[in-house]
Amino acid sequence: MPLVHVSLRTGKSDAYRQAIFDGVYLAMNEEFNVPEDDQFMTVTEHTAANFRYGASYLGIARSDDLVFIQITANNTRTIDQKKALFRRIAELLGKEPEIRPEDVFVSLVEVEKENWSLGNGIAQYA
């Protein structure tokens, strides 16, 4: 049950933002076995004054098209699954909406399964 938050600079089209959702979800489906209809995602847009990044941190040449993708998920995946997810997200977003791999920044936040309530005030996975 991943929860995805995407942050990017303002000015992108609805189709661009939807392509990010589609690519991230497909990668999670393929690499994390996230089931159909398990899509909980938001996009937040920021002005230039409210969006800062290291343009060359770790020798990676980032641009203003940088996209931050934060995924909160259960801590049940292997390191290999995580690496595969990161690769697949960059690959899919490179195809549509054509984001350079240097501009795909992914952060995975892992939580215990009992830390979710998906509605009705119930801890469904506890």
Side-chain angles (χ1 to χ4, degrees), residues 101-114:
E102 296 89 347
D103 289 326
V104 178
F105 183 111
V106 181
S107 171
L108 179 62
V109 178
E110 295 182 297
V111 299
E112 299 290 330
K113 291 174 76 171
E114 65 268 14

Side-chain angles (χ1 to χ4, degrees), residues 11-110:
K12 301 298 184 189
S13 69
D14 289 347
Y16 186 96
R17 292 188 305 275
Q18 290 303 310
I20 293 172
F21 282 153
D22 293 344
V24 171
Y25 171 72
L26 181 57
M28 291 190 309
N29 178 264
E30 292 175 354
E31 304 302 340
F32 271 20
N33 300 314
V34 172
E36 295 295 322
D37 201 36
D38 189 349
Q39 297 188 45
F40 298 91
M41 308 168 122
T42 62
V43 168
T44 305
E45 296 182 281
H46 305 271
T47 63
N50 294 312
F51 192 86
R52 182 183 285 190
Y53 60 91
S56 61
Y57 182 69
L58 295 177
I60 300 169
R62 296 172 189 85
S63 76
D64 286 344
D65 288 328
L66 179 67
V67 175
F68 294 129
I69 301 165
Q70 184 176 56
I71 302 170
T72 304
N74 291 333
N75 62 350
T76 58
R77 276 65 179 216
T78 67
I79 292 173
D80 286 340
Q81 285 176 299
K82 295 171 195 178
K83 289 178 178 181
L85 177 69
F86 300 151
R87 277 191 304 271
R88 190 65 173 137
I89 290 172
E91 177 183 304
L92 290 168
L93 297 187
K95 292 178 183 176
E96 186 67 33
E98 298 184 358
I99 301 173
R100 298 173 336 120
E102 296 89 347
D103 289 326
V104 178
F105 183 111
V106 181
S107 171
L108 179 62
V109 178
E110 295 182 297

